[in-house]
Amino acid sequence: MCGIFGFCNFCVEHTTEKLVKSLIQGLQRLEYRGYDSAGFCLDDKKDSDKTGVIVKKTGNVQALYNSAVEENTGKFEMKKALNDGVGIAHTRWATHGPPSDTNSHPHVSGPEQDFIVVHNGIMTNYQEMRTFLKEKGFAFQTETDTEVIAVLFGFLYKQKTSFAQVMMEVMQFISGAFAVVV
């Protein structure tokens, strides 16, 4: 079963390393649920033009942490001092698409990464929504229902004025039993 975890820090000094470790510790507390891959996104809010940094890995949470520290050094500085930061994390038990780094969460709404999503549960109408979005010109990088949710957020956001409106409409479009962190 999937697990989701979020961390938000506002006006409290810490480092990127502390944010990453908080996300990893949150995922470690979810390991008992079983999973095949894990991932996280962090945004340090220092650069409004920068999108969130995403790290995804097939395997256990320790492999994800090792990947974050060893392979993604150029994406973020672990010792960087922060006053604000937000992160979302996920352990995945594959239901749509095989276990892979690509199918691991988080998923993005498109190249601009306007929305980054983790999801626990099953979206029962994801094939219909995927077809609808493909007809609107959207492309998909994964086989997951979660990417459909992320792309739907991006599609609807271009038509709405507020995040709250988009959230309510996304929830009306999708069916199933789930929890979503955006």
Side-chain angles (χ1 to χ4, degrees), residues 35-172:
Y35 64 100
D36 53 52
S37 57
F40 68 82
C41 174
L42 63 90
D43 188 349
D44 62 22
K45 300 295 180 197
K46 286 279 189 186
D47 183 353
S48 61
D49 295 331
K50 186 183 89 173
T51 58
V53 176
I54 297 174
V55 182
K56 306 191 291 185
K57 196 73 175 167
T58 304
N60 63 22
V61 173
Q62 186 62 47
L64 174 67
Y65 180 72
N66 293 344
S67 177
V69 172
E70 296 166 8
E71 299 169 25
N72 295 291
T73 310
K75 290 186 180 181
F76 51 85
E77 300 172 42
M78 292 295 259
K79 299 298 181 190
K80 182 177 175 184
L82 307 171
N83 285 322
D84 302 325
V86 63
I88 57 176
H90 186 270
T91 56
R92 178 176 189 254
W93 189 262
T95 54
H96 298 104
S100 70
D101 290 355
T102 302
N103 284 334
S104 299
H105 300 201
H107 292 297
V108 299
S109 57
E112 305 84 22
Q113 296 185 4
D114 292 329
F115 292 92
I116 300 171
V117 175
V118 295
H119 158 249
N120 178 19
I122 303 269
M123 180 181 163
T124 55
N125 65 335
Y126 91 100
Q127 287 288 17
E128 295 89 344
M129 292 308 306
R130 184 184 206 86
T131 300
F132 168 78
L133 291 164
K134 280 184 174 181
E135 289 171 357
K136 299 289 183 189
F138 292 91
F140 291 86
Q141 309 303 311
T142 77
E143 301 171 55
T144 70
D145 52 351
T146 305
E147 185 184 21
V148 173
I149 296 169
V151 171
L152 183 59
F153 265 100
F155 170 68
L156 293 173
Y157 189 68
K158 290 176 174 47
Q159 303 169 28
K160 302 295 174 192
T161 58
S162 75
F163 176 76
Q165 285 179 311
V166 172
M167 179 61 89
M168 288 188 295
E169 196 155 329
V170 166
M171 293 303 121
Q172 291 173 353

